[in-house]
Amino acid sequence: MNINGLTLNIIAGKRPLDVQFSTGPAPQVATPISSALSHASSAQSSDKVTISEEGKEALNEDKALSSKSADTEKALSSNMGSTLHGKHSESAQQAKEMEEEKAMSPIDKQIQRVKEQIEELQERLKELEGDSSEAADNERKLILDQILELTGVLMSLMEKKTRDAKSLSA
């Protein structure tokens, strides 16, 4: 700070600043008030602030960080919005499935369960594809037997459903 020829460097954090203030001559006490006011208004005052190279670098780093922060914030808000939307969609889908399940007849529910069991067994069968051990062969045979049995159950449930539908329409 430059006040009447004195210079003081101010260091705030890591940002050294050169601040200079200069004021014109002070009005004299013995002069009339009107001449003192005109003298004070004509007095020249100037403020000059300069930033050292280190300060400029720190300022540029802050600007870069704040722009990255803004980009990150936009991406995060977009991600959060899509996550929330996805969760809402999932819950809406689950509610819809529950509604459909309630509207399903008991036979339809059984058919759905048997289909899911068959799919699970088929997935287990796929997991055993690379294993050529005797235990894996035995498990494959058991899984295939279960799939055949469930397929038979599925066929009988479908036949019963068609019979029920025919009896209701008649």
Side-chain angles (χ1 to χ4, degrees):
M1 187 179 289
N2 185 359
I3 300 176
N4 295 332
L6 297 174
T7 302
L8 173 66
N9 287 331
I10 299 174
I11 299 176
K14 291 185 177 181
R15 299 183 183 161
L17 300 173
D18 250 345
V19 181
Q20 296 179 346
F21 293 100
S22 61
T23 59
Q28 295 181 4
V29 178
T31 58
I33 293 177
S34 61
S35 67
L37 288 176
S38 66
H39 181 69
S41 64
S42 67
Q44 182 179 3
S45 69
S46 66
D47 298 337
K48 180 181 177 186
V49 177
T50 58
I51 302 175
S52 69
E53 290 303 315
E54 283 181 350
K56 289 178 184 178
E57 288 174 12
L59 182 62
N60 288 337
E61 288 174 9
D62 281 351
K63 285 182 182 178
L65 285 175
S66 68
S67 69
K68 287 180 185 177
S69 171
D71 293 342
T72 304
E73 186 177 314
K74 287 179 185 176
L76 181 60
S77 66
S78 174
N79 188 20
M80 288 296 291
S82 64
T83 301
L84 290 175
H85 178 69
K87 287 186 179 190
H88 173 69
S89 296
E90 287 174 14
S91 63
Q93 181 68 22
Q94 288 175 348
K96 184 178 178 183
E97 288 173 1
M98 288 176 64
E99 191 76 24
E100 289 173 357
E101 192 172 303
K102 287 179 183 176
M104 292 172 61
S105 70
I107 293 177
D108 288 333
K109 289 179 184 178
Q110 288 177 337
I111 290 172
Q112 185 69 26
R113 262 187 256 130
V114 170
K115 284 182 179 179
E116 289 172 1
Q117 289 175 346
I118 291 173
E119 288 175 7
E120 288 174 8
L121 290 171
Q122 288 173 339
E123 288 176 18
R124 282 182 44 201
L125 197 60
K126 286 181 184 177
E127 290 173 2
L128 294 172
E129 281 182 356
D131 193 353
S132 61
S133 67
E134 188 176 326
D137 286 340
N138 290 335
E139 192 171 348
R140 273 191 216 96
K141 288 178 186 177
L142 288 173
I143 292 172
L144 288 173
D145 288 343
Q146 288 176 343
I147 290 174
L148 286 173
E149 185 179 326
L150 287 172
T151 304
V153 170
L154 183 63
M155 295 300 290
S156 66
L157 287 171
M158 289 183 162
E159 287 174 2
K160 184 176 181 188
K161 182 178 175 182
T162 46
R163 275 184 277 150
D164 290 348
K166 285 182 183 178
S167 68
L168 287 176
S169 64

